[in-house]
Amino acid sequence: MCGICCAVSFSVEHFNKDLKEDLLCNLKRRGPNSSKQLLKSNINYQCLFSGHVLHLRGVLTAQPVEDERGNVFLWNGEVFSGIKVEAEENDTQIMFNYLSSSKNESDILSLFSKVQGPWSFIYYQASSHSLWFGRDFFGRRSLLWHFSSLGKSFCLSSVGAQTSGVPNQWQEVPASGIFRIDLKSTSISKSVVLKLYPWKYNSREDVIKECVNSLTQISADLPTFVSVAANEAKLYLKEPVVPLNMILPQATFEIHCSSISSVPPSRETLQVFLTDGHMKEVVQQFIDVLSIAVKRRVLCLPRDENLTQSEVLKTSNRKANVAILFSGGIDSMVIAALADRHIPLDEPVDLLNVAFMTKEKTIPAGFNKKGRKEKNNCEKPPEESSKNVTAAAAAIAGEQFNVPDRITGRAGLKELQAANPSRIWNFVEINVSLEELQRLRRTRISHLIQPLDTVLDDSIGCAVWFASGGVGWLVTQDEAKPYQSSAKVVLTGIGADEQLAGYSRHRVRFQTHGLEGLNKEIEMELGRISSRNLGRDDRVIGDHGKEARFPFLDENVVSFLNSLPVWEKANLTLSRGIGEKLILRLAAVELGLTNSALLPKRAMQFGSRIAKMEKNNEKASDKCGRLQVISLENLSIEKEIKTNFRKDTLELIRNVKIAQKRST
C-alpha cells in the first residue's frame, strides 16, 4: 500500500518544487517505509511525482520508478492474481516492466484488465506526453483529483489536504475505467480533456454510452475547462466479474420458500436448507472461493522467516501480522474462521473491536471511592492481587464501553477460542471517549473522510479510523494491559451486505417490489460501492500505515455470487438473523460457528454506539457540520497531535499503576 501523488503545472508561476506540507504529511503516513519525489520538466508542463511506500511484498521498491525512456510509474495496489508475481518479486516493478514494454493503448488496457486485486495508479508515458491514471473496478484504492482555477494546474493524490475555512476542492476519481490526459495538448488549449477507457463486459454493447452519461454528471461538479469524453478508438477494459444473475424463480420455488419460512428462526432453520443437496454444494463452493480469497490476503505479506525453533515456540512473544475489524458479527466471524485456516498457527491474530463511551465513569464493586481495593482481598498473594487490581482498574473504563459490538465481539472470541484453542486470539478493546473523538476528528480524520460529507460518512469513517489504529487494551480474566497492534494488514468484511441483501433497505425493496426489485437493489449497491465506501475506508485505514484488504470483494468471490440466483444468496421471507445473507450464515454453520451464525445485521455506527453520540436529531444522509478541518501548518502541530493521541489510554495506564502500588 502506498501514498501516491502527481502535481502537474502548465505555467511557471503556478509550479512548486515541493508539495504542500499538509499533503506531504498525509501521504507519508500512508507509506512510512520509503519516500521519494521526482520532477519531470518539459517546455509545456512540469510534473512532480511523489511516492510513499508501505512495504508488504518482495524487495522494497522506492517510488516513483522511472525507466531509461523517461516513463514514470506510481502504483498503489496488490496483484493477487491475473499477473504472475513470484514471492520474492515486487509487483510495482513487475507492473512497470509490462507498461514500459507496451507498444500501444491496447497493451496498457490489456494489462490492467488482467490484474486481480485492488489498485490505483499514475503512469506518465513520456513519448506521447500522456498521463494515465485510474482505480480498479470496485475502487478499492483511493485516488482523488483537484483542478485549480483557470486550468493552470491539477493534482492527483491518494489522499487530499484541506485548509480551514476553505471549501473542499478534492473529488474522488470515479472507478469507471482508466483516464488519459494529453499534457502537451492541454498546455496549448488551456482546457483539460479526460479521455475515458471504460470497463465493459463482452456482451454489453452500450457501455460507452452508459459511462459517458454517468460521467456527464461528474463533469457537472468539475470546472468548466475540464471535460470527459470516451476515447476515439472505443477501446475498453474488460470487466473482471460476470454480470449479476437477474433470473427470477418459478412458481414451484415460491411454494418451497413459503414452506421453509414456517420453520422457527433458529439454527435448525439453517439446517433445513443444508439438507438440500444442491444448496449444500453451493455453500461449499462459496466457502472454497472465499477461503482462497482470504488465503491470498493473509499470506501475501512479509513474515520473519528467520526465527529459530525456540523463538517459534514462544508464541506469546510473536506479533500479529494480520488484524481483523471485528464486531463478532457474521461477516467478521467467517473471515476470522477462514483466516485461521491459513495464517501460521504460531502467529497471533488481532481482533480489533471499537466502542464509544456511552455513560459516565463508574466505580466497580471491590473499589472504594478513592480507588483502593477493599480489605476482603488483602489475604491474596501479591501477584494475584496485582493482576486483579489491573483487571479491575481496566473495568472502571470498560463498563462505560459495554456497547453491542463489544458484547458480540467477546462472544465471538469465545467461539473462535473453542474452534481453535491453540491460536492466540488478541481481542483488542479500543475505547474512545467523546473528547478524544472530537479532537482527533478535527485534527486527523476529517480530511480523510472528505470529499464525502454526510453524518453516515462521519460515523463510519471515525469508527473505522479508531478501530484500524489498533490502540487499546488486551483484557483477560487475569489481567488487562495496553496494546498496540503491529499488523500491517487489516481485513474488513465490507461487500458482504451489498451482495447478500444485508441492509434493511434490501428487505424494504423486497417487500415492495419482490425479487425483481431486490435484484436491482443489489446491482445498484455493488455499482456504487466505490463512491460510497471504499475510497473513504482506504484513506482512513491507510492513515495508520496499514493496508485494508477486502476478501468479499475478491473478483472470483464477486463473480461466484453474481452467478447465483438471488434466492440462493438471501431469503427475505425469513426473519432477521436468518434471511439476510443466508448463504453466508449457512457457510458459518458448515465452518462450525454457532451463535454468531444467527446474529442479525447491525450497522457499525450503531454497534459501536458512535451514532447519535453528539446529536440525536440528525439523519444519516444529512451534511455533517463536524467534518470541518484544521490545516497542519507545520510539523510542530503534527507532533502535538501525536503527543495527545490516545491521552485517555495513557491516563488509564497511570491509574492502573497507582492502583497496583496501593494494593501492595
Side-chain angles (χ1 to χ4, degrees):
M1 202 269 308
C2 305
I4 62 175
C5 179
C6 176
V8 180
S9 175
F10 299 105
S11 62
V12 176
E13 62 270 20
H14 282 78
F15 179 69
N16 292 314
K17 290 185 178 180
D18 295 301
L19 297 176
K20 290 183 178 180
E21 194 159 20
D22 282 22
L23 182 57
L24 192 59
C25 286
N26 295 340
L27 289 164
K28 284 183 175 180
R29 279 198 292 268
R30 291 179 61 89
N33 300 128
S34 170
S35 292
K36 179 182 171 184
Q37 294 197 159
L38 174 66
L39 176 62
K40 300 289 290 185
S41 292
N42 182 279
I43 191 172
N44 298 300
Y45 56 85
Q46 298 82 34
C47 298
L48 177 62
F49 300 91
S50 186
H52 310 270
V53 178
L54 173 68
H55 180 222
L56 287 174
R57 64 193 302 181
V59 178
L60 175 60
T61 302
Q63 296 193 45
V65 289
E66 183 182 18
D67 65 14
E68 66 279 359
R69 293 191 295 272
N71 300 318
V72 180
F73 185 49
L74 288 165
W75 172 250
N76 176 25
E78 294 287 352
V79 178
F80 289 130
S81 186
I83 302 292
K84 188 175 182 179
V85 181
E86 300 293 347
E88 69 279 2
E89 293 180 321
N90 183 277
D91 56 351
T92 301
Q93 192 61 54
I94 296 295
M95 290 294 295
F96 188 42
N97 292 344
Y98 278 113
L99 284 172
S100 296
S101 62
S102 296
K103 297 180 175 59
N104 49 47
E105 296 177 348
S106 295
D107 288 346
I108 294 175
L109 300 178
S110 176
L111 173 64
F112 285 100
S113 295
K114 293 176 183 176
V115 175
Q116 290 193 11
W119 51 262
S120 64
F121 78 97
I122 302 170
Y123 174 56
Y124 172 68
Q125 194 174 32
S127 61
S128 62
H129 302 278
S130 294
L131 192 70
W132 297 77
F133 59 94
R135 301 165 67 193
D136 71 77
F137 183 72
F138 298 114
R140 289 165 290 188
R141 291 290 173 262
S142 171
L143 191 62
L144 307 176
W145 55 25
H146 168 217
F147 297 92
S148 72
S149 60
L150 304 178
K152 294 183 179 180
S153 65
F154 71 89
C155 188
L156 301 167
S157 181
S158 300
V159 63
Q162 305 300 328
T163 302
S164 181
V166 177
N168 174 62
Q169 296 176 317
W170 294 89
Q171 295 177 347
E172 290 189 336
V173 174
S176 304
I178 288 177
F179 295 88
R180 180 178 65 85
I181 297 177
D182 186 327
L183 297 178
K184 186 175 181 180
S185 174
T186 299
S187 68
I188 297 171
S189 66
K190 305 301 180 185
S191 62
V192 180
V193 179
L194 303 170
K195 292 297 177 70
L196 171 66
Y197 300 79
W199 296 103
K200 174 185 175 183
Y201 195 72
N202 287 337
S203 62
R204 297 178 182 171
E205 298 300 328
D206 58 347
V207 68
I208 299 290
K209 180 180 178 181
E210 289 178 3
C211 285
V212 171
N213 287 341
S214 65
L215 288 174
T216 299
Q217 298 176 345
I218 298 171
S219 299
D221 297 324
L222 294 172
T224 55
F225 55 82
V226 181
S227 60
V228 185
N231 69 91
E232 295 86 347
K234 297 184 178 180
L235 299 174
Y236 59 87
L237 295 147
K238 183 181 178 182
E239 287 187 11
V241 298
V242 303
L244 183 67
N245 184 344
M246 305 289 278
I247 192 172
L248 297 176
Q250 301 296 322
T252 53
F253 174 81
E254 293 174 354
I255 295 172
H256 177 61
C257 266
S258 62
S259 65
I260 292 180
S261 301
S262 63
V263 178
S266 64
R267 187 176 176 82
E268 286 68 35
T269 308
L270 297 176
Q271 294 290 356
V272 170
F273 283 94
L274 290 172
T275 59
D276 180 272
H278 170 72
M279 193 63 193
K280 190 177 181 69
E281 181 181 356
V282 169
V283 170
Q284 189 56 55
Q285 290 173 344
F286 176 49
I287 291 173
D288 291 343
V289 71
L290 185 59
S291 180
I292 293 172
V294 171
K295 180 180 180 180
R296 288 172 175 166
R297 284 156 179 80
V298 301
L299 294 185
C300 188
L301 52 88
R303 284 182 164 84
D304 192 347
E305 304 293 348
N306 299 318
L307 292 177
T308 64
Q309 187 61 33
S310 61
E311 289 174 322
V312 169
L313 293 175
K314 295 178 181 178
T315 55
S316 60
N317 297 326
R318 294 293 300 274
K319 291 184 177 180
N321 290 306
V322 175
I324 302 171
L325 296 187
F326 189 77
S327 66
I330 183 68
D331 307 345
S332 58
M333 284 294 291
V334 169
I335 288 177
L338 292 176
D340 184 48
R341 287 183 170 187
H342 305 296
I343 296 174
L345 186 58
D346 59 314
E347 186 178 301
V349 175
D350 286 347
L351 306 175
L352 308 179
N353 183 275
V354 68
F356 292 81
M357 185 182 292
T358 58
K359 58 185 177 180
E360 293 299 319
K361 295 181 180 179
T362 58
I363 300 175
F367 274 78
N368 60 28
K369 289 185 178 180
K370 293 183 179 180
R372 291 184 176 142
K373 202 68 172 166
E374 297 290 0
K375 291 183 178 179
N376 58 359
N377 287 323
C378 289
E379 295 179 2
K380 293 182 179 180
E383 297 82 1
E384 184 179 347
S385 178
S386 177
K387 288 182 178 180
N388 289 341
V389 170
T390 304
I396 295 175
E399 285 190 3
Q400 59 198 312
F401 297 103
N402 207 26
V403 301
D405 277 0
R406 181 61 49 81
I407 295 169
T408 54
R410 288 168 178 161
L413 171 66
K414 290 181 179 179
E415 281 193 46
L416 294 173
Q417 289 172 330
N420 186 358
S422 300
R423 168 84 62 193
I424 293 179
W425 300 97
N426 291 328
F427 186 70
V428 187
E429 298 188 2
I430 299 160
N431 301 328
V432 186
S433 68
L434 177 60
E435 183 275 332
E436 188 177 18
L437 167 63
Q438 293 174 338
R439 183 180 71 250
L440 288 167
R441 176 202 283 124
R442 185 173 63 250
T443 55
R444 283 287 295 272
I445 307 174
S446 290
H447 74 274
L448 302 170
I449 296 173
Q450 292 183 355
L452 306 188
D453 59 2
T454 68
V455 170
L456 181 64
D457 292 314
D458 172 57
S459 295
I460 296 179
C462 288
V464 171
W465 188 86
F466 281 104
S468 57
V471 179
W473 288 88
L474 285 182
V475 181
T476 65
Q477 291 181 343
D478 298 324
E479 63 176 345
K481 58 183 178 180
Y483 184 80
Q484 165 74 68
S485 174
S486 61
K488 288 185 176 182
V489 168
V490 178
L491 301 182
T492 169
I494 193 169
D497 289 312
E498 287 79 2
Q499 297 180 80
L500 302 176
Y503 294 120
S504 58
R505 55 182 174 268
H506 287 116
R507 192 172 288 274
V508 171
R509 189 68 181 270
F510 170 71
Q511 291 169 347
T512 54
H513 295 92
L515 287 178
E516 183 177 4
L518 179 58
N519 269 329
K520 291 179 179 178
E521 187 75 17
I522 291 174
E523 184 178 44
M524 180 187 69
E525 292 279 3
L526 204 53
R528 68 183 185 181
I529 196 171
S530 64
S531 60
R532 281 177 66 93
N533 302 90
L534 293 175
R536 176 200 66 210
D537 289 356
D538 176 67
R539 292 189 294 276
V540 164
I541 295 174
D543 188 61
H544 298 288
K546 299 175 185 289
E547 179 171 281
R549 294 185 177 177
F550 313 97
F552 286 108
L553 291 174
D554 178 271
E555 287 83 354
N556 292 336
V557 172
V558 176
S559 284
F560 174 77
L561 291 175
N562 276 1
S563 70
L564 298 178
V566 66
W567 63 84
E568 291 184 354
K569 295 181 285 189
N571 183 349
L572 300 187
T573 64
L574 297 172
S575 62
R576 290 182 70 246
I578 295 285
E580 75 277 14
K581 298 188 283 193
L582 175 62
I583 191 173
L584 187 60
R585 298 182 188 282
L586 296 175
V589 171
E590 292 288 82
L591 289 170
L593 300 178
T594 54
N595 294 336
S596 58
L598 298 168
L599 289 176
K601 163 67 181 178
R602 184 173 54 234
M604 185 180 195
Q605 65 270 28
F606 299 118
S608 67
R609 285 295 189 259
I610 188 175
K612 311 291 185 181
M613 189 177 184
E614 294 164 279
K615 290 181 70 175
N616 288 319
N617 60 346
E618 57 187 6
K619 297 179 181 178
S621 58
D622 289 347
K623 298 287 184 183
C624 184
R626 295 183 294 277
L627 290 176
Q628 301 299 319
V629 297
I630 292 178
S631 178
L632 297 179
E633 296 177 356
N634 53 58
L635 288 176
S636 63
I637 298 178
E638 172 71 2
K639 184 177 180 181
E640 181 182 348
I641 291 169
K642 291 180 178 179
T643 301
N644 289 331
F645 182 56
R646 309 306 290 171
K647 185 177 73 173
D648 291 343
T649 299
L650 295 175
E651 180 183 354
L652 188 52
I653 293 172
R654 288 194 294 271
N655 291 339
V656 168
K657 290 180 178 179
I658 292 171
Q660 287 175 327
K661 289 180 180 179
R662 288 173 175 171
S663 68
T664 58

